C-alpha cells in the first residue's frame, strides 16, 4: 500500500510540473541612466554612469588621453536564474533584451575596440582585458571554459588572425574568438561612426529551442522597428556554458591608439522566471527523484515496502524506549552517569564538538540505550547534545543549577528540550535533544553549505523564535529572560523549526539574578550587535533587551549579515541597524534583503520583517514592541510597525518624553494601521 501511494504522489507531482510551464517574466526597462539608478548596477573597471548613459569606458572628448587602454563592465545587480540543475526537461530561461548603443568616435580616432552584451557569473573584470579582449577575457584566461561567459560582441576593430574584415558582430563563448561572426559591411552599419548615430539591438533567446537571434537597426526617432530578419542566428544551450545564476550586462574596451566611446543609452530585459515556487519544492523532488524512482520502485516494489515498514517500526520503538526510560525515572529530567556521557561523546572528542557557548562546550553524543522493555527486545541508539560546563567550580555549579531549574520546567515546542543532567566528581553536564540541522548561524554563514537558507525557512525560524520569546516573557508562570539571543543559540530541528537553546544566561526574573555584571564575565557577555544599548549602562537583561536581541536576529536573518560586522556603503561603514534604517529612510529597505536569496523571497514579508527588526532595535527600551505584539505582527495578524525615517537618538538615562509629541521626526514607533512609509 505504501508503495502505491508513493508512486502516485510522485507521478502526480510530475504532471503538475509540466502544467506549470507558463511563467511570468522578470522585466526591467531603462530609458536613460543617471546617478539615481546607480545602485541597480554593479560596476567594475573603468565604467561609470554619466547621464544619460552607462559608460563602459570613459566618455570625454576633451581629454582623449584618458581613453586608451581601458576596459569596464556594468552588470545588473541581481543575477537571474537561467536553469535548474534538477530539471529533466532541460529548460533554460528564455529572455528578450533590447538596448541602444552609441560608440561615437572623433574623426581622428581610429575606431576600437568594441562592446559586448554579456552573460557572466559576476561583474568582476579580468586584469588587462583592454584592447582586443573587450573587457571579457585576457591573454591568460581566454577560451577557458571556467569563465562561464557568453557574449554578443559588437566589434569595431578586427583582429586579423580571427576576425572578419571591418565591423562585425559575433557570438562569443568564453573567448573573444567568436564561435560565429557576421560582418556588418553588407548591412551598412558603421559600429563606431564619426558622426551622431545610435543603434538598436535586440537579442532573443528561446530556452526551449535554444535558438539565439540578434537583430540590429539604426536608432532613428520617432520609431525604430525591429527588422524581420535576424543578423545572427545560432543554436546554443546556455546551460552548457553559463552558471545557473548569471548576471546580465555589458563589457567594453578601448585599445591604443584605437579609441571610441562605449555607451548604453537604453536597456530593456525580460527573463523567464524559472524560480522554484513554493509548491515546486516538491515538484523538484518529483522530477529529480521521481522518474528514476518510479522505475526502481516498480522493480523492487514489495521488498522496499517491507524495509520501509520495518524502519518505521524501529524509529517508533526508539522513541518509545527513550520516553519509557525517561518516564520510569522519578522527576524528569533524568540523571545520566558521567561515564555514559563520556562514552557517548567519545571522551569529549574534538570531532564530536557541536559548538561553544559562554559557559561550556557542546558535544554530540550517541547513547546506547539498553532494552529494558523486554517486549520489543530492541536496543536503541539515541543522539543527544551534551553541554559540558567549563567552570567546574562553585560558580559553575550555580550556573548549572540555575539552568537546570529553569529549563526543566520550561515546555515549549520552540525551546530545546532538556533530557537530563549529570553531576559527578565536580563535572557538570546537561543533556539536550539533538538538533540535526545545527544552528541558525551555521545555515546563514557556513560557506561549505551550498544551499542558501530558503526564505520560507527564514520566516518560519523567526516565527518560532518570536513564539518562544513570547512564552518565556509572558506565558511561563515566572518571567524568564533569555538574555543571550543570537544566531548561534537558535537551533534547527530536521524540519527547520527554530528551537531556542542555551539558557546558560537565563535567570528567573524575580530572583533578581538577571544582572550581567554578577556573572563575572567581564561585563556584558552577549555578542556585539545583539546587546541593547541600555545594557551597557544597567548591566541588566530585561524582556526589552531580549526584544532588542530579537530585532538584531531578525535583521540578520533577512539580510544575511552579522549584526557585529559593519556594512560598507557609499564610502562609509554602518552598523547593520543603521544601514537598514538608512535604506528605510531612502525608501529602499528591500535592498537590505540577503542577495543570496536573489528574487526567491516574498517582498511583503521581507519588508514586514525588516520594519519589525528596526522597531525592535529602537534605542529606547520602552519604545520597543513587546513580544505579544511581535508575535501578532510576524504572524500577519497585526499591521507592520510604523518606523520613523531617522533612528531615534539613544539617551541615557532614558528621556522618552523629551522627544515624544513635539518632534515628529523622532516620533516613537507605534503600531498603526495607516500608511506605511514603505510599499
Ligand atoms: C573590481 O571588483 C573587484 C571585486 O569587487 C575589486 O576588488 C576591484 O578593485 C574592482 N576593480 C575596479 C577597477 O573597479
Ligand atoms: C520574448 O519575445 C517573444 C516574441 O515577442 C515572446 O513570445 C516571448 O514570450 C518573450 N519572452 C520573454 C521571456 O519575455
Ligand atoms: C587575466 O585575468 C586573471 C583574472 O583577473 C588574472 O589572474 C591574470 O593575471 C590575468 N592575466 C594577465 C596577462 O593579466
Ligand atoms: C564584407 O566582408 C566579407 C568578409 O570580410 C567579404 O567576404 C564581403 O565581400 C564583404 N562585402 C562587401 C559588400 O564588401
Ligand atoms: C544618440 O543618443 C544620444 C544620447 O541619447 C542623443 O543625444 C543623440 O541625439 C542620439 N542620436 C541620434 C541620431 O538619435
Amino acid at each position: 500500500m505504501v508503495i502505491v501511494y508513493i508512486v502516485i504522489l510522485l507521478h502526480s507531482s510530475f504532471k503538475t510540473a509540466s502544467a506549470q510551464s507558463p511563467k511570468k517574466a522578470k522585466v526591467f526597462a531603462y530609458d536613460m541612466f543617471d546617478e539615481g539608478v546607480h545602485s541597480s548596477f554593479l560596476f567594475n573597471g573603468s565604467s561609470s554612469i554619466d547621464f544619460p548613459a552607462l559608460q563602459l569606458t570613459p566618455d570625454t572628448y576633451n581629454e582623449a588621453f584618458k581613453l586608451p587602454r581601458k576596459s569596464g563592465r556594468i552588470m545588473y545587480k541581481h543575477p537571474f536564474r537561467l536553469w535548474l540543475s534538477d530539471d529533466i526537461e532541460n529548460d533554460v530561461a528564455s529572455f528578450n533584451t533590447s538596448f541602444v548603443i552609441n560608440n561615437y568616435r572623433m574623426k581622428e580616432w581610429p575606431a576600437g575596440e568594441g562592446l559586448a552584451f554579456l552573460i557572466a557569473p559576476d561583474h568582476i573584470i579580468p586584469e588587462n582585458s583592454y584592447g582586443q579582449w573587450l573587457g571579457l577575457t585576457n591573454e591568460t584566461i581566454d577560451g577557458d571554459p571556467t569563465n562561464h561567459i557568453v557574449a554578443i560582441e559588437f566589434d569595431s576593430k578586427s583582429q586579423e588572425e580571427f576576425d572578419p574584415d571591418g565591423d562585425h558582430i559575433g557570438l562569443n563563448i568564453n573567448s573573444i574568438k567568436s564561435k560565429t561572426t557576421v560582418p556588418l559591411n553588407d548591412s551598412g552599419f558603421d559600429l563606431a561612426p564619426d558622426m551622431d548615430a545610435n543603434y538598436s539591438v535586440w537579442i532573443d533567446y528561446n530556452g526551449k529551442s535554444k535558438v539565439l537571434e540578434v537583430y540590429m537597426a539604426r536608432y532613428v526617432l520617432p520609431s525604430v522597428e525591429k527588422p524581420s530578419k535576424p543578423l545572427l542566428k545560432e543554436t546554443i544551450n546556455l546551460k552548457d556554458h553559463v552558471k545557473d545564476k548569471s548576471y546580465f550586462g555589458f563589457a567594453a574596451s578601448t585599445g591604443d591608439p584605437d579609441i571610441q566611446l562605449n555607451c548604453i543609452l537604453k536597456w530593456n530585459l525580460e527573463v523567464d522566471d524559472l524560480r522554484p515556487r513554493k509548491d515546486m519544492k516538491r515538484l523538484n523532488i518529483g522530477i529529480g527523484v521521481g522518474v528514476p524512482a518510479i522505475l526502481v520502485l516498480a522493480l523492487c516494489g514489495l521488498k522496499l515496502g517491507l524495509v520501509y515498514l520495518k524502519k518505521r517500526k524501529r524509529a517508533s520503538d526508539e522513541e518509545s524506549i527513550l520516553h519509557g526510560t525517561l518516564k520510569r525515572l522519578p522527576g524528569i529530567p533524568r540523571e545520566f552517569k558521567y561515564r555514559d556521557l563520556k562514552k557517548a561523546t567519545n571522551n569529549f572528542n574534538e570531532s564530536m564538538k557541536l559548538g561553544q557557548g559562554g559557559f561550556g562546550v557542546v558535544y554530540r553524543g550517541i547513547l546506547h540505550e539498553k532494552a529494558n522493555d523486554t517486549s520489543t527486545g530492541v536496543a536503541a541508539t539515541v543522539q543527544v547534545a551534551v553541554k559540558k560546563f567549563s567552570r567546574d567550580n562553585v560558580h559553575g555549579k550555580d550556573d548549572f543549577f540555575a539552568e537546570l531549574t529553569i529549563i526543566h520546567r520550561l515546555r515549549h515546542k520552540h525551546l530545546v528540550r532538556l533530557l537530563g543532567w549529570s553531576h559527578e566528581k565536580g563535572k557538570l553536564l546537561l543533556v539536550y535533544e539533538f538538533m540535526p540541522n545545527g544552528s541558525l548561524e551555521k545555515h546563514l554563514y557556513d560557506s561549505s553549505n551550498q544551499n542558501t537558507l530558503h526564505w520560507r525557512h527564514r520566516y518560519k525560524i523567526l516565527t518560532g523564535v518570536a513564539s518562544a520569546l513570547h512564552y518565556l516573557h509572558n506565558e511561563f508562570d515566572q518571567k524568564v529572560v533569555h538574555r543571550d539571543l543570537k544566531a548561534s543559540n537558535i537551533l534547527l530541528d530536521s524540519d527547520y523549526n527554530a528551537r531556542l537553546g542555551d539558557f546558560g544566561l537565563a535567570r528567573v526574573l524575580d530572583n533578581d539574578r538577571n544582572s550581567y555584571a554578577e556573572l563575572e564575565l567581564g561585563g556584558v557577555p552577549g555578542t556585539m550587535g545583539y546587546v541593547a544599548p541600555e545594557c551597557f549602562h544597567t548591566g541588566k537583561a530585561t524582556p526589552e533587551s531580549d526584544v532588542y536581541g530579537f530585532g538584531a536576529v531578525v535583521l540578520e536573518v533577512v539580510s544575511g549579515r552579522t549584526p557585529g560586522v559593519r556594512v560598507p556603503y557609499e564610502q562609509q561603514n554602518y552598523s547593520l541597524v543603521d544601514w537598514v534604517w538608512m535604506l528605510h529612510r531612502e525608501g529602499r529597505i528591500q535592498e537590505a534583503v540577503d542577495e543570496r536569496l536573489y528574487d526567491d523571497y516574498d517582498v511583503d514579508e521581507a519588508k514586514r520583517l525588516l520594519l519589525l527588526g528596526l522597531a525592535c532595535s529602537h534605542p529606547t527600551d520602552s519604545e520597543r514592541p513587546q513580544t505579544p505584539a511581535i508575535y501578532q505582527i510576524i504572524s500577519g495578524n497585526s499591521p507592520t510597525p510604523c518606523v520613523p525615517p531617522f533612528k531615534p537618538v539613544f539617551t541615557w538615562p532614558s528621556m522618552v518624553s523629551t522627544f515624544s509629541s513635539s518632534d515628529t521626526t523622532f516620533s516613537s514607533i507605534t503600531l498603526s494601521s495607516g500608511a506605511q512609509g514603505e510599499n
Side-chain angles (χ1 to χ4, degrees), residues 164-165 183 185-186:
D165 286 346
N185 54 352
D186 287 340

Side-chain angles (χ1 to χ4, degrees), residues 43-46 123-125:
F43 297 81
N44 208 222
S46 58
H123 69 290
I124 297 171
I125 196 160

Side-chain angles (χ1 to χ4, degrees), residues 76 99 178 227 276 299 349 368 379 398 450 473 482 489 594 668:
Y76 185 64
F99 47 89
S178 308
L299 286 175
N349 195 292
H368 299 277
D398 286 350
Q450 285 287 311
H473 290 179
H482 183 280
N489 278 343
D594 192 343
S668 55

Side-chain angles (χ1 to χ4, degrees), residues 109-127:
W109 301 349
E113 292 276 344
L115 174 151
F117 172 75
L118 172 65
I119 304 175
D122 53 47
H123 69 290
I124 297 171
I125 196 160
E127 288 163 40

Side-chain angles (χ1 to χ4, degrees), residues 31 52-53 100-102 195-199 218-221 265-266:
D31 217 24
V100 176
I101 59 176
N102 178 310
M195 55 176 214
D196 186 14
N198 303 325
Y199 291 99
R218 277 290 271 280
Y219 179 81
V220 187
L221 291 176
L265 299 170
K266 298 172 188 297

Side-chain angles (χ1 to χ4, degrees), residues 40 42 75-80 246-248 593 595 598-599 601:
S40 299
L42 302 168
M75 311 298 281
Y76 185 64
K77 73 168 174 186
H78 292 302
F80 293 90
S246 289
Y247 293 83
F248 283 83
V593 175
E595 286 179 351
Y598 303 103
D599 288 328
Y601 66 91

Side-chain angles (χ1 to χ4, degrees), residues 255-274:
D256 196 1
D258 321 289
I259 51 174
Q260 64 187 31
L261 306 188
N262 289 295
C263 311
I264 304 295
L265 299 170
K266 298 172 188 297
W267 185 20
N268 294 353
L269 178 69
E270 298 174 28
V271 184
D272 261 0
D273 195 348
L274 269 197

